[in-house]
Amino acid sequence: MKYLPHTIMTYLSRLGYWLLPQSCFLCGDISHQPLCHACLADLPYQQTACNRCAYVLCSISETCENCRREPVVFEDAKTVFAYEYPVDKLIHAAKFHQNLAILDLLGQLMAQYITVETLPDVLIPVPLHPSGLRSRGYNQALELAKVIARYHHIPLDYTACQCIKKKRKQSTLSGRSERRKNVQGIFQVKQVKSHWQHVVLVDDVVTTGETANELAKVFLQAGIQRVSVWCCARRN
Ligand SMILES: [Zn+2]
Ligand SMILES: [Zn+2]
């Protein structure tokens, strides 16, 4: 119930675009959606990426060098965009300026572009630390997961785990080991359902995959057999 007002606001904003066309967030043209068709088509959709961690690669390759050297514990990762202009601007607006219409659109794009042969048992949004949730008012990963869950009819659970320790921003740290250390012990699994075998973690941005890797670790320790990651954008 805590998140209901945001759901209502998202619907209202979606309805608002249809009833009264507004301007495209990027180019300013009249649009029935937060982005016009031309801007939507121009987004940096990710073409080639590592199938383990979604690291953007220049050519088709199964796994990146990092994953060959030190594999992540999640089985695979899927991403829609490379984290570059204007996706960085969209995510910033969705995350820090309460632009729920953009957040909803990013969720819809994730739902449409991420395809799988068999659906997972549950979607788990990467939790925010309670202090971050209080100051932002919503968890952007949960809002994205809600759209994907509705689109694909996948159950969603945002109570299965929690963030118990505040971390420094991963993007401010340079080395992989520094990032890995920064997220150690920040998550705790509260409950997993007995029929869950394949869990998908949902996040807005994956930087090196260390946060998702840490959360995947605690789910594997809790007895989940398979963990995947779906993210909106991968920062290289
Ligand atoms: Zn536009
Ligand atoms: Zn990789």
Side-chain angles (χ1 to χ4, degrees), residues 50-55 62-68 72 234:
C50 168
N51 62 6
R52 287 299 301 273
C53 74
Y55 183 83
E62 293 239 309
T63 49
C64 72
E65 207 187 313
N66 274 340
C67 288
R68 281 200 297 269
V72 284
R234 176 67 155 87

Side-chain angles (χ1 to χ4, degrees), residues 24-29 31 34-40:
C24 168
F25 179 75
L26 291 173
C27 73
D29 275 3
S31 173
L35 294 189
C36 70
H37 289 299
C39 286
L40 265 179

Side-chain angles (χ1 to χ4, degrees), residues 36-110:
C36 70
H37 289 299
C39 286
L40 265 179
D42 269 355
L43 293 178
Y45 295 91
Q46 202 181 59
Q47 307 293 339
T48 51
C50 168
N51 62 6
R52 287 299 301 273
C53 74
Y55 183 83
V56 182
L57 299 166
C58 300
S59 58
I60 295 171
S61 168
E62 293 239 309
T63 49
C64 72
E65 207 187 313
N66 274 340
C67 288
R68 281 200 297 269
R69 222 177 26 233
E70 203 178 351
V72 284
V73 300
F74 49 81
E75 195 170 295
D76 56 352
K78 290 181 186 295
T79 186
V80 181
F81 301 110
Y83 189 80
E84 58 189 52
Y85 183 83
V87 167
D88 53 353
K89 186 177 168 174
L90 299 177
I91 290 179
H92 190 87
K95 212 164 159 174
F96 302 110
H97 297 285
Q98 303 231 340
N99 194 327
L100 299 178
I102 294 286
L103 187 56
D104 181 59
L105 176 71
L106 293 174
Q108 288 177 51
L109 294 172
M110 284 180 77

